[in-house]
Amino acid sequence: MILFNEFTLDNGLRVIVHEDHSVQIAVMNILYDVGSRDEDPNKTGFAHLFEHLMFGGSKNIPSYDEPLQLVGGENNAFTNTDITNYYLTVPASNLETGFWLESDRMLSLSFDPKVLEVQRKVVIEEFKQRYLNQPYGDVWLKLRPLAYQAHPYQWATIGKEISHIENATMDDVKKFFFTHYTPNNAVLVVAGNVTVDQVKKLSEKWFAPIPAGKKKTRNLAHEPRHTHKRAEHVYAKVPANALYKTFHMAGRFHPDYYASDLLSDVLSRGESSRLYRTLVKEKEIFASISSFVTGTIDPGLLVVSGRVCEGIDLLDAEKEVDKILQTIVSEGVAKHELQKVKNQALSTHIFGEVEILNRAMNLAFASLCGDINRVNQEIELTENVSEEDIYRTAQEIFTENNSCTMYYHATQ
């Protein structure tokens, strides 16, 4: 159980406080409700670019890292399709330094052209190294537009193509910042050796003067129900043939999400899981195989992927995967099999909450569904998944028309 208090400033900033006086640190987590799904299709990669720009100096503070390090603090950030998340830890006695730093960059970036050029080059280099010049690096650049035809999940967080970042102007940057990096589009979680009164005073002092932004209306394209299987063949110099198969599923806050997540665990979590046991250990068709859910807020994907053993045709490998999926569709899963993956999931969840930073992140993310109490319902929602839920979800998800397959061929 994560105990918390919450309040909202006049400018719309949602503040959540989680007191834990057993630690000597304080954590600040600021979640901005903006991800790559909020980008212009012709100007992608901006959410990720901003993750970099936010460390390049703000209106009154030329260096973000230096003053934080002087008080013994650490920080980092990440961006995905749905959110951009910044976090820092400091000794509890130096919490106000965190408020000073975070409020100043929410107020405004420095918008220094030199910073833009430096971070532009960093992102372009990251695009090349991680996505273009690495074996299998371009998988999601190709798999996303295959799986999504309308919804902006069709491009990766890094962006559709390098040219979008190369051509980004300072006006583009300013527009994106003042549209999305506003108090009323953010959630601040302060956790650790703090008090509610302390956080209220510091929030009023440092964040309340920042003006609210224009209310943002999110109107994303809805992904239509697929009527046929889609497939693509890719050829590249990689170590082995690989198979990537996706199925559309419910979004993160939908009741069926938990059944889908456990279904992916039944398939590949651990050496006794169905895909691994049959296709890696027994039949030796795959050298490695996994399944996972993307966990996106809007309807996401259940993905099965694996590297195929030498001499095995990709189409034959796919048929073997389909056999296992269809067995669950026709027969469901056994009670003991479901209980095993529930225990694994609950163990992961409980151990994850040992870290106070994880608790802060979970509180921030839960707030997006409109009910922060959901952070304390994850265990119950997982435990309540029945064999019937798994059976029904498998029948809905594992249909040919709901699938997209990418055959990744290794060339000489």
Side-chain angles (χ1 to χ4, degrees):
M1 173 71 73
I2 302 177
L3 301 177
F4 62 89
N5 293 88
E6 58 178 311
F7 57 90
T8 303
L9 301 182
D10 290 343
N11 58 13
L13 178 66
R14 289 165 283 173
V15 184
I16 303 168
V17 185
H18 168 55
E19 295 187 23
D20 183 349
H21 300 289
S22 69
V23 299
Q24 298 303 310
I25 63 169
V27 169
M28 287 185 70
N29 189 96
I30 296 190
L31 182 153
Y32 288 94
D33 187 10
V34 56
S36 58
R37 65 175 177 164
D38 297 298
E39 296 166 344
D40 182 326
N42 298 309
K43 295 179 181 180
T44 63
F46 271 65
H48 176 251
L49 175 64
F50 261 84
E51 178 194 323
H52 290 258
L53 290 176
M54 288 285 276
F55 293 97
S58 54
K59 187 168 186 177
N60 302 298
I61 304 170
S63 170
Y64 178 92
D65 287 333
E66 186 176 330
L68 186 65
Q69 290 168 353
L70 285 173
V71 298
E74 297 178 343
N75 71 91
N76 214 327
F78 64 84
T79 312
N80 60 34
T81 54
D82 300 314
I83 64 170
T84 306
N85 197 74
Y86 299 86
Y87 53 93
L88 62 83
T89 59
V90 289
S93 58
N94 293 324
L95 177 60
E96 190 162 9
T97 298
F99 271 84
W100 168 57
L101 290 167
E102 291 295 349
S103 64
D104 198 63
R105 63 177 179 178
M106 181 184 286
L107 174 66
S108 179
L109 296 185
S110 66
F111 298 119
D112 184 340
K114 293 181 181 178
V115 172
L116 174 58
E117 290 311 310
V118 168
Q119 297 306 327
R120 188 202 310 272
K121 290 177 181 177
V122 170
V123 172
I124 289 172
E125 189 59 30
E126 179 183 351
F127 198 121
K128 291 177 179 178
Q129 284 190 0
R130 292 183 58 189
Y131 295 86
L132 300 183
N133 299 329
Q134 183 171 285
Y136 310 103
D138 62 349
V139 164
W140 282 98
L141 295 180
K142 299 178 184 300
L143 195 55
R144 283 189 174 278
L146 181 65
Y148 290 98
Q149 304 291 288
H151 193 281
Y153 286 161
Q154 65 188 261
W155 57 82
T157 305
I158 194 74
K160 280 185 183 179
E161 51 189 69
I162 290 178
S163 63
H164 289 185
I165 297 302
E166 288 176 332
N167 297 330
T169 67
M170 185 59 76
D171 285 342
D172 292 332
V173 168
K174 289 181 178 179
K175 181 181 178 181
F176 194 88
F177 179 85
F178 289 113
T179 299
H180 300 290
Y181 281 77
T182 61
N184 48 314
N185 199 46
V187 180
L188 166 64
V189 179
V190 185
N193 195 5
V194 301
T195 66
V196 174
D197 288 342
Q198 175 192 19
V199 173
K200 279 185 176 179
K201 290 176 182 176
L202 290 172
S203 298
E204 289 289 347
K205 176 180 178 180
W206 292 104
F207 284 100
I210 302 173
K214 184 180 179 181
K215 185 70 176 177
K216 182 183 70 172
T217 301
R218 182 178 277 123
N219 186 24
L220 305 180
H222 176 73
E223 186 67 22
R225 189 173 184 84
H226 292 190
T227 58
H228 62 280
K229 174 184 176 179
R230 286 199 290 272
E232 181 177 347
H233 291 266
V234 176
Y235 299 85
K237 290 184 178 181
V238 292
N241 291 343
L243 180 74
Y244 300 88
K245 195 172 180 76
T246 73
F247 299 88
H248 285 268
M249 56 166 279
R252 183 65 179 79
F253 299 131
H254 191 282
D256 285 346
Y257 172 82
Y258 299 89
S260 303
D261 193 20
L262 290 174
L263 180 56
S264 73
D265 288 346
V266 167
L267 288 170
S268 73
R269 185 164 184 171
E271 293 189 4
S272 63
S273 60
R274 294 200 178 196
L275 289 173
Y276 187 91
R277 184 183 69 245
T278 305
L279 302 184
V280 176
K281 293 175 70 175
E282 295 175 5
K283 295 188 176 182
E284 297 183 346
I285 292 171
F286 283 84
S288 62
I289 194 165
S290 66
S291 62
F292 59 92
V293 298
T294 53
T296 49
I297 290 177
D298 292 334
L301 301 173
L302 189 155
V303 183
V304 178
S305 65
R307 296 189 187 181
V308 179
C309 292
E310 189 174 353
I312 302 294
D313 183 80
L314 278 169
L315 292 175
D316 291 336
E318 182 187 20
K319 288 177 183 176
E320 293 292 335
V321 169
D322 288 341
K323 284 181 186 178
I324 293 176
L325 302 185
Q326 291 309 307
T327 299
I328 296 180
V329 169
S330 60
E331 301 174 7
V333 297
K335 185 175 182 178
H336 71 86
E337 192 175 20
L338 176 57
Q339 191 58 54
K340 182 192 74 172
V341 295
K342 279 186 182 181
N343 292 342
Q344 291 171 326
L346 295 173
S347 176
T348 299
H349 181 80
I350 291 169
F351 279 113
E353 289 193 345
V354 170
E355 294 290 335
I356 194 164
L357 177 58
N358 289 342
R359 280 177 260 158
M361 288 184 182
N362 290 342
L363 283 164
F365 188 71
S367 71
L368 292 183
C369 75
D371 180 11
I372 306 175
N373 284 297
R374 193 182 183 93
V375 75
N376 291 317
Q377 297 167 357
E378 294 286 314
I379 290 177
E380 181 182 359
L381 289 166
T382 299
E383 287 181 331
N384 287 344
V385 174
S386 66
E387 295 126 83
E388 290 75 19
D389 292 328
I390 295 288
Y391 179 60
R392 173 181 52 80
T393 304
Q395 289 184 316
E396 292 174 357
I397 292 177
F398 295 142
T399 67
E400 193 76 354
N401 290 344
N402 191 40
S403 70
C404 293
T405 305
M406 187 165 73
Y407 307 96
Y408 209 109
H409 300 270
T411 60
Q412 297 299 319

